[in-house]
Amino acid sequence: MNLRAYWRFLVVARQFLPLLLAYARDRKRFLLFGSPRQVTGEQRRKRAQALLSSLLTLGPTFIKLGQLLSTRPDVLPPEYIDEFSTLQDRVPPAEWERAKVVLESELGPIDERFAEFDTDAISGASLGQVYRAQIDGQDVAVKVRRPDIEELVEADLRVIRWSLPILMYFIEDARSFSLETLADEFAKTIREEMDYEREAEMLREIRGNFADNDRLRIPAVVESHSTRRVLTMEYVPGTKINDIDDLDERGFDRTQLAKTLQTAYLQMIIDDGVFHADPHPGNLAVQDDGKLVFYDFGMSGRVDPFVQEKIVDFYAAVADQNIQAILDALIEMGTLSPEADRQVMGDVMELAIADARGEDIEQYRVQQIVQQVEDTIYEFPLRLPANLALVLRVATVVEGVCVTLDPDFDFITVATEFLREEGYITAGVRNYVEDRADEVQAAAQSAVRVPPKLESVLDRVDREELTVQADIRDSDRLLATMTKRLILGMMLASSLFSTAFLFAEAAPVIAGVAGLVVVGLSVSLWWSFRTKNGFQAKPQFTRQSMREREGSVGAMGLPDEGDER
């Protein structure tokens, strides 16, 4: 029996009960009966502020929960996301005597392991605190897990699990799955963040990925003084990245710093697949030599190759202002529900781009687009994948830092340059030939996907949800002829570019064979146009025919549907 968990449940219930009663009255004005209440955006914001205050009161676990919720627009309305995004993981450090017990239980007597040790913490967080020390003349930062934090976190995780059935009553069915998976995700995330061995592993990996980058500085792990509850790193001082006056006094190029920061995160997310996930200004600094410094790798994540590919597609589509490609990328990533109205979402994206860009068509920011999408996401049933939610949060926070450094920072230009330099966006015959091969593969996949989609359409017809009236006479088999011409034309277009590429890159014999293929396709296409065919169709209920019918009805003096009878 875990008495602490039961006690925490009562404490949590006391904090959340007023809000739960308010949510219950939203569904039934008098709790057990009555009509639903309308809740304004201002009311939601006040509730979000009250909930934020409760999270801060309940301590470390719930502060972390609030930070996670700030990345989940599929679970909370925009007003809550805005309020929770201000939640900083900064709390007063625990008493030194209690922290000393943890440190010495992991490493042994402090006087024997450290040449010097400053017992005043230089920073405090919800799960740990950092001290400055020396080992063999080297300045180090020692991160120590908070005393007794494991027991508190485990008790709070039980409380959250017990509370889920109650919370389910206050949310729509569409979001119940998101809430359940969020609880599992949170338990996994907070346990990982308490494991300093994992943090050391992520730090080493990311540091290795930037070993050849002379614009960045990532602290090294001191292996001999690091365990699961203690992490010792080299101490790297610097000026906080949002201290603009100090940066200017030192003569740093803030635009270049912003570009370095953005490019570093693009590399982490798109190239490396492992990234530092807490880029707020407290975890970023600038050395005297101008290098950008990263601190605190407790919150870090991984991106699988599929998501990396779709992120590239998203950035490329934004740069091209291709609305449909943007929506396709968001749907394929799992960010946007396939059930969402594409017309509505397309309008949202167009408005976001129009609002964000200046005179130059590329001067707009992804943050504004992402924010518009997040605000709309809440209206649709979906679940954001955990790491993708983290990526969206990172993208937003990073750009906020970049805009602080340079108000005119152009995210799209930097992203496009990076993608081009890394070979993700290329031009020329070689890329065209590869695209044609991808199209052939996509066509083969479509051949597999079409039958079930056709069955779905037929089901709708059977349920009388779809009505189509058309009288098509194709006695001369023109549809078959048109299909043949279309296929021949596509093959000829692809072959022309492929042959041009082969003439430039391949042996003459191979290029000659490709040329013969082009000639054969050209003759076939020319021959298909020698036979004259006819095509007759009588479409019903086109927009033009409806206007004509309405005109004829009006001319006869008959009432329209909208007239009063």
Side-chain angles (χ1 to χ4, degrees), residues 303-362:
V303 190
D304 62 65
F306 174 78
V307 173
Q308 287 177 301
E309 178 185 345
K310 295 308 166 187
I311 290 173
V312 171
D313 292 344
F314 172 75
Y315 286 153
V318 171
D320 291 340
Q321 296 187 83
N322 187 332
I323 302 298
Q324 295 307 315
I326 292 174
L327 297 181
D328 288 341
L330 292 173
I331 290 172
E332 290 172 3
M333 281 191 289
T335 305
L336 180 65
S337 170
E339 303 299 323
D341 188 323
R342 289 184 69 96
Q343 181 62 47
V344 172
M345 288 304 302
D347 292 342
V348 169
M349 299 308 297
E350 287 179 356
L351 288 173
I353 293 176
D355 179 64
R357 72 188 182 204
E359 292 295 324
D360 185 346
I361 202 168
E362 288 192 356

Side-chain angles (χ1 to χ4, degrees), residues 64 67-68 89-90 123 125-130 143-145 185-206 218-219 221 227-233 265 268 274-280 282-283 294-302 387 390 393-394:
K64 285 293 178 185
Q67 289 178 326
L68 179 61
D89 187 20
R90 294 292 177 265
S123 72
S126 57
L127 301 180
Q129 50 208 49
V130 181
K143 187 175 181 180
V144 183
R145 190 192 293 174
E185 172 192 331
F186 175 65
K188 178 177 178 290
T189 300
I190 197 169
R191 287 181 179 126
E192 285 180 347
E193 196 166 343
M194 287 193 300
D195 183 359
Y196 290 169
E197 288 179 346
R198 177 187 180 274
E199 181 177 345
E201 177 187 349
M202 301 293 275
L203 196 162
R204 283 192 295 267
E205 184 173 351
I206 295 174
I218 297 175
V221 177
T227 68
R228 192 167 182 271
R229 296 200 296 170
V230 176
L231 175 60
T232 304
M233 304 157 284
Y265 270 95
M268 282 189 273
V274 55
F275 62 99
H276 174 269
D278 198 12
H280 66 75
N283 287 338
F294 289 79
Y295 303 120
D296 193 356
F297 288 76
M299 188 180 294
S300 48
R302 296 187 182 274
N387 279 346
L390 208 54
R393 175 182 180 272
V394 164

Side-chain angles (χ1 to χ4, degrees), residues 21-55:
L21 289 175
Y23 294 141
R25 292 190 62 201
D26 291 344
R27 301 187 67 176
K28 294 182 179 180
R29 187 177 298 272
F30 303 105
L31 294 182
L32 298 180
F33 59 90
S35 60
R37 297 192 303 181
Q38 291 294 327
V39 181
T40 65
E42 184 59 30
Q43 287 175 316
R44 280 198 296 265
R45 188 167 296 278
K46 288 181 179 179
R47 291 179 181 181
Q49 293 169 350
L51 182 55
L52 178 60
S53 177
S54 295
L55 295 176

Side-chain angles (χ1 to χ4, degrees), residues 55 79 110 144 164 175 243 280 282 301 336 381 395 453 476 488:
L55 295 176
E79 294 83 2
I110 294 175
V144 183
L164 275 180
R175 289 177 179 81
D243 192 344
H280 66 75
L336 180 65
K453 290 183 178 181
D476 295 325
L488 287 172

Side-chain angles (χ1 to χ4, degrees), residues 471-490:
D471 181 12
I472 300 176
R473 295 192 294 274
D474 187 24
S475 58
D476 295 325
R477 298 183 55 78
L478 184 62
L479 287 177
T481 303
M482 291 175 62
T483 303
K484 179 181 177 181
R485 291 173 182 171
L486 180 61
I487 293 173
L488 287 172
M490 292 173 59

